[in-house]
Amino acid sequence: MTAHRGARRFLRENSLGLAFLAGFLLTLLGQLIAGRAEMNNDLVSAQLPPVGYLAYATSSDFAVDVTENWQSEYLQNTSHT
C-alpha cells in the first residue's frame, strides 16, 4: 500500500514536469515519423531503398532536423527581448 501512495505522491508532485516530458517525447516522435517519410520519399524517387525507423533515428539527417527545429524555436523566442 505504501508503494502505491508513493507513486501517487510522485505523480502529483511532478505532474507538470511529466507533462512537459510527454510533450517533448511526442514532438520527437512526430519529427521521427515525418522526417522518415520525407527521407523515404526522396530515396524512392532516387530509386534507392527506403530506411526503417531505427536507421533514420540514428542518422545524421534526424539529428540535423531536430537541431534545426530547436535552433529556430530558440531564436524565435530570444528575438522578442
Side-chain angles (χ1 to χ4, degrees), residues 15-71:
S15 59
L16 182 61
L18 293 171
F20 277 114
L21 177 63
F24 170 74
L25 293 175
L26 287 172
T27 302
L28 269 182
L29 179 64
Q31 179 73 44
L32 176 69
I33 293 168
R36 177 184 168 262
E38 181 181 359
M39 183 178 193
N40 281 339
N41 284 338
D42 293 343
L43 288 172
V44 168
S45 64
Q47 298 179 347
L48 296 170
V51 297
Y53 284 107
L54 183 60
Y56 179 69
T58 58
S59 72
S60 61
D61 289 317
F62 179 66
V64 167
D65 289 345
V66 169
T67 306
E68 285 177 354
N69 282 342
W70 288 352
Q71 181 184 25

